Amino acid sequence: MKAPLPQVRSANHFTEEGTQTQPTSCGCLIINADDWGRDDLTTDRIRACFQRRVLSSASGMVFMKDSERAANIAQEQGLDIGLHLNLSAPFSAHTIPTRLAAHHQKIREYLCTNRVTRLLYHPRLADSFEYAVARQLEEFSRLYGRMPDRIDGHHHMQLSANVLLQRLLPRETIVRRHFSYEPGEKIFRNSAFRLFSWALAGRRYRVTDFFFSLPPLTPPARLHRIFNLAQSFVVEVETHPVNQEEYQFLTEGDVDRWTNDCPVATSFANAVGLQLCRASH
């Protein structure tokens, strides 16, 4: 028998940013798979998870080896796909526009230098950021026949200083927030980045109440706590099914066993009608 989940208090919740979050009238558990279209294996594993109805959505990469096929599959099967903005990994499609490749390489070299660079605005790279983001939005629109209604980023670079300060993402888009704090985490780890990104993104974009990574899968109390939050709040959980441990968890029945009290949303779009939190709360 599944162990009962601890109950969430109905009182207001205060986030790590010091803002007050009211529980929604109905929570929502979103499980989103990253890197759709990166390569054949990644796409096929995510598709298998969709077929088992354990995913709400996926985030698609453009200008990658399997981007075209992945987009065709998504269109045929009506899958909920957002844009996985890539500013930190090499493009792997057979043909990449020369100008895009040059701008993207400059950005990658800068952002991948160390963990601090995403916090620092680089004025000389402003044109490169603007061009690289615009071209990925255009390519997503070409592949999927629409602009993305939500955007996250490879290595979470959608929250880098240039992207946020230049306001390169369409206003009112659902943008993935930074990771939510977890018990036992060092209080100052990534604090500057989290406060910075919240201050800039929270008022311009729509964000979920909480965001976590699926792993680590142990201890069990961690997943209990995350899934229990989704009974009262909008919670996004990020997963990478290309990783064997996560793939097995998603496809061997563990998700159903853990989420009986708060089923996985059938699509990310189901959360759009819920009140996504803002910094003004």
Side-chain angles (χ1 to χ4, degrees):
M1 178 180 293
K2 176 184 164 184
L5 300 179
Q7 293 300 306
V8 171
R9 297 179 180 177
S10 60
N12 298 342
H13 178 83
F14 288 86
T15 68
E16 62 270 21
E17 299 85 4
T19 57
Q20 192 178 52
T21 301
Q22 294 279 0
T24 61
S25 58
C26 179
C28 186
L29 175 61
I30 301 161
I31 299 184
N32 185 89
D34 286 6
D35 300 342
W36 174 258
R38 184 173 189 176
D39 52 45
D40 294 356
L41 175 61
T42 302
T43 300
D44 290 342
R45 285 200 168 183
I46 294 175
R47 179 168 59 169
C49 293
F50 269 120
Q51 292 170 343
R52 288 167 173 78
R53 302 182 184 276
V54 293
L55 295 179
S56 307
S57 54
S59 300
M61 303 183 79
V62 297
F63 298 114
M64 300 301 282
K65 180 180 178 181
D66 201 39
S67 294
E68 294 273 356
R69 183 178 74 103
N72 291 333
I73 292 171
Q75 299 260 48
E76 293 170 359
Q77 300 184 10
L79 305 180
D80 185 342
I81 308 295
L83 173 62
H84 197 55
L85 184 68
N86 177 17
L87 300 174
S88 57
F91 291 134
S92 60
H94 295 302
T95 303
I96 304 296
T98 303
R99 184 181 175 191
L100 173 61
H103 282 299
H104 189 252
Q105 179 64 20
K106 291 179 184 178
I107 294 170
R108 286 184 55 243
E109 290 177 353
Y110 171 65
L111 290 178
C112 296
T113 301
N114 56 60
R115 293 172 61 88
V116 177
T117 51
R118 60 182 177 175
L119 279 169
L120 305 176
Y121 176 76
H122 196 314
R124 293 184 180 179
L125 288 179
D127 289 344
S128 293
F129 273 95
E130 181 177 4
Y131 188 79
V133 172
R135 285 306 307 271
Q136 290 186 60
L137 288 169
E138 292 172 2
E139 179 68 359
F140 183 95
S141 179
R142 182 187 74 82
L143 290 172
Y144 292 90
R146 59 175 176 81
M147 289 292 285
D149 54 13
R150 55 186 176 80
I151 299 171
D152 52 49
H154 199 57
H155 301 138
H156 309 284
M157 293 301 181
Q158 83 280 4
L159 298 177
S160 60
N162 277 77
V163 173
L164 293 179
L165 290 172
Q166 292 179 239
R167 298 185 174 183
L168 300 180
L169 308 181
R171 190 179 183 89
E172 295 299 314
T173 302
I174 300 172
V175 173
R176 178 179 283 170
R177 59 177 295 150
H178 49 68
F179 283 117
S180 299
Y181 280 114
E182 301 201 41
E185 182 178 348
K186 293 181 180 179
I187 191 169
F188 293 112
R189 193 189 78 177
N190 292 330
S191 293
F193 175 64
R194 297 184 194 205
L195 290 171
F196 164 82
S197 64
W198 180 260
L200 293 180
R203 290 182 175 87
R204 182 175 177 83
Y205 308 112
R206 290 182 290 172
V207 298
T208 59
D209 294 319
F210 294 93
F211 170 56
F212 302 97
S213 173
L214 181 60
L217 300 176
T218 56
R222 176 181 178 270
L223 290 182
H224 276 311
R225 186 181 68 86
I226 291 172
F227 293 151
N228 190 46
L229 278 172
Q231 295 182 42
S232 302
F233 297 95
V234 180
V235 177
E236 179 187 0
V237 176
E238 162 201 76
T239 184
H240 295 84
V242 72
N243 297 330
Q244 185 65 24
E245 182 183 33
E246 295 179 59
Y247 182 68
Q248 289 178 336
F249 179 88
L250 292 165
T251 58
E252 295 181 0
D254 288 323
V255 171
D256 291 336
R257 180 171 61 85
W258 283 84
T259 61
N260 283 339
D261 294 334
C262 188
V264 178
T266 56
S267 72
F268 208 120
N270 286 350
V272 172
L274 299 175
Q275 185 177 358
L276 300 185
C277 72
R278 295 175 182 273
S280 58
H281 283 183

